[in-house]
Amino acid sequence: MNIELELKKLIKNVLNDLDLEEDIIIEIPKDRSNGDYSSNVAMKCCKKLGKSPIEIANLVKNNISSDLIESIEIKNPGFINFFVNKTYLFEELKEIIKLENNYGKNNLGEHKKVNIEFVSVNPTGTIHLGHARGACIGDSLANILSFNGYDVTKEYYINDAGNQMINMALSIYERYKEICGLDSKMKENYYYGKEIIEVAQKMYDEKQDGYLTSDIKVFWKKGLEYFLGGIKKDLANIGVNFDVWTSEQELRDRNLVEEALSKLTSLGYTYEQDGAIFLKTTLFGDEKDRVLVKQDKSYTYFMPDIAYHLDKLNRGYDKLIDVFGADHHGYVSRLKASVTMLGQDADKLSVLLIQMVRAIKNGEEYKISKRTGNTITLNDLVEESGKDAIRYFFTSRSMDTQMDFDIDLAKKNSNENPVFYVNYAHARICSILRNQDYSLKEDYKFETIDSETAYNVLEKLNEFKKVVQKSALKKEPHLITNYVYELATLFHSYYSVEKIVTEDEKYTYERIMLIKAVKIIIANSLKLIGVAPAERM
């Protein structure tokens, strides 16, 4: 049962009788002496009624009758505090055990088609620390939306066209010449990472100097294969896999970029100036109009991006979600403007901005990659901390806050490490259930569980459905991570003060059912953020 929804209905019935229509907010008080649930609705509608909040709160209290509610208390200046009948918590516990992995799944999304595009690192190098955070958040959000009944497609946009790819190919060519014993001409805007030399060396190992007469497209293709293959492998190492890989070059080959530009021009949204073509984004509040085609007739990255988003919308998605780095802040409004110009609904596009992340080791910022000699890569981080710590840590904070990834903390096998702490709760329960597992009796009435620590656990279990839906609606995976840590904390507290297994079979059965439900919810939560629940530790 969704207790909050039931309370809203009960209050609404009373408010309707009073000829009022108010948004009813139900909250869980931090101080449980103020009830299991609380509402400030009396303070919101006091002006309309011409009565004090206390009077209105008492009107609501006196007109609600439900087996769900054990008691109602009114607190100044007009809070209505609800104490819920604990039998409903036990009914929810049985529902958790009955549904197991499916508990919490719902049809909130009504099978609406959602496309989430994230990571999309240019295939000119390896995935670095900042991209890793976006990968974990994007993939976890996809899991959460799917769990809530959305039809989700995870997409990677391959920027395999334009000057960056040309410079990558030329960089490989020059390094290849060096390996062949020839003079090279590495320009300032070329790529100097060790991985460029690795590609060149692979080409030499394949054919010695046989590629010297090859077209630059061969170096472009070899570089793309190498870097894109590495990106896919590195992402798979943290459990991130994509449903669709869309090539920018393919969009160009299909003339979709030219078609989008032609349509913008025919609608009067472009103009030429100094040999370049501009888009009139100032019409939609941008600080200046943006260049689509440069003087040399090459596209800016903005133009193919417009065509790409039009293509996604034309594929029939109800919602597009882009996960970008925070440095793309100014890009959002002009991208939405272009969607509107092309006759599409800009509200279908949501852009999530991920703030920067630093790796910390030995108390200092950890910057140097073992492999590239530059910024730390995702691969370095996996070697240092492991997949589960990466997934947990990067989804533990709101994406709009900067964060430090403490490598030393992520490696600790102690309660200081939050992913260890949560998984220890799961493993501890698994250890008990291996020797003391029981089957659910659906018509069973719980009678021996009555401690405050046990009720705290039960109430937290009951919050899971709400947290899952809220996480989807707000597009915030960290709500799941925070929730499962709180649940683990309550379980550890409960376990420290109450025996689970005794000679009393009834007593033991009820507590086994309680911890079994905790295990299910911990596992369901961890799977949503891409962390494997530990069976043993």
Side-chain angles (χ1 to χ4, degrees), residues 64 117 161 165 178 264 314 471 531:
I64 283 182
E117 184 237 319
M165 291 298 293
E178 281 183 3
L264 289 168
N314 286 340
S471 180
V531 176

Side-chain angles (χ1 to χ4, degrees), residues 124-129 191-198 226-227 234 367-380:
T124 55
T126 54
I127 293 184
H128 294 289
L129 190 63
Y191 291 91
Y192 284 79
K194 293 180 181 178
E195 59 269 29
I196 293 292
I197 299 174
E198 288 178 13
Y226 179 85
F227 289 119
D234 289 350
K367 289 184 177 181
I368 304 302
S369 167
K370 300 173 189 173
R371 184 166 177 273
T372 68
N374 298 309
T375 307
I376 184 172
T377 66
L378 172 57
N379 217 27
D380 293 324

Side-chain angles (χ1 to χ4, degrees), residues 140-208:
S140 298
L141 180 58
N143 294 340
I144 292 162
L145 290 173
S146 295
F147 202 72
N148 280 274
Y150 292 88
D151 181 2
V152 179
T153 298
K154 297 184 291 183
E155 184 156 338
Y156 190 114
Y157 179 48
I158 310 167
N159 296 109
D160 55 356
N163 288 333
Q164 288 180 313
M165 291 298 293
I166 293 171
N167 288 337
M168 179 269 289
L170 290 170
S171 301
I172 296 171
Y173 174 63
E174 294 300 330
R175 292 304 192 188
Y176 177 73
K177 283 165 57 181
E178 281 183 3
I179 296 170
C180 291
L182 302 174
D183 291 337
S184 67
K185 298 177 181 178
M186 289 291 290
K187 295 183 180 180
E188 187 178 347
N189 58 345
Y190 284 6
Y191 291 91
Y192 284 79
K194 293 180 181 178
E195 59 269 29
I196 293 292
I197 299 174
E198 288 178 13
V199 181
Q201 185 64 55
K202 281 181 176 292
M203 293 183 72
Y204 183 81
D205 292 343
E206 287 175 11
K207 213 171 180 180
Q208 279 70 52

Side-chain angles (χ1 to χ4, degrees), residues 341-433:
M341 291 176 190
L342 289 166
Q344 300 282 347
D345 183 1
D347 288 337
K348 285 187 175 183
L349 173 62
S350 294
V351 179
L352 308 180
L353 298 175
I354 310 290
Q355 289 291 335
M356 293 177 61
V357 58
R358 300 188 307 165
I360 304 296
K361 189 174 182 181
N362 300 322
E364 297 180 352
E365 185 173 359
Y366 183 49
K367 289 184 177 181
I368 304 302
S369 167
K370 300 173 189 173
R371 184 166 177 273
T372 68
N374 298 309
T375 307
I376 184 172
T377 66
L378 172 57
N379 217 27
D380 293 324
L381 206 60
V382 171
E383 289 179 9
E384 289 279 4
S385 307
K387 170 243 178 189
D388 287 335
I390 291 170
R391 294 292 303 236
Y392 187 98
F393 275 56
F394 280 145
T395 54
S396 66
R397 301 284 181 85
S398 172
M399 64 187 78
D400 59 7
T401 60
Q402 294 187 13
M403 72 168 290
D404 290 340
F405 187 104
D406 190 330
I407 291 173
D408 298 315
L409 179 61
K411 293 162 68 174
K412 280 187 177 181
N413 290 327
S414 73
N415 289 343
E416 295 175 72
N417 179 357
V419 67
F420 176 91
Y421 183 69
V422 173
N423 251 330
Y424 183 47
H426 187 270
R428 176 176 264 176
I429 296 171
C430 288
S431 176
I432 298 169
L433 295 182

Side-chain angles (χ1 to χ4, degrees), residues 8 13 19 57 107 137 150 198 254 263 307 357 363 380 390 396 421 456 470 486 495-496 510 528:
K8 284 185 178 183
N13 288 338
D19 196 27
N107 195 34
I137 289 174
Y150 292 88
E198 288 178 13
R254 292 164 56 198
K263 186 171 183 179
V357 58
D380 293 324
I390 291 170
S396 66
Y421 183 69
N456 287 341
K470 186 176 180 182
E486 291 167 3
Y495 186 84
S496 68
E510 294 189 3
L528 288 174

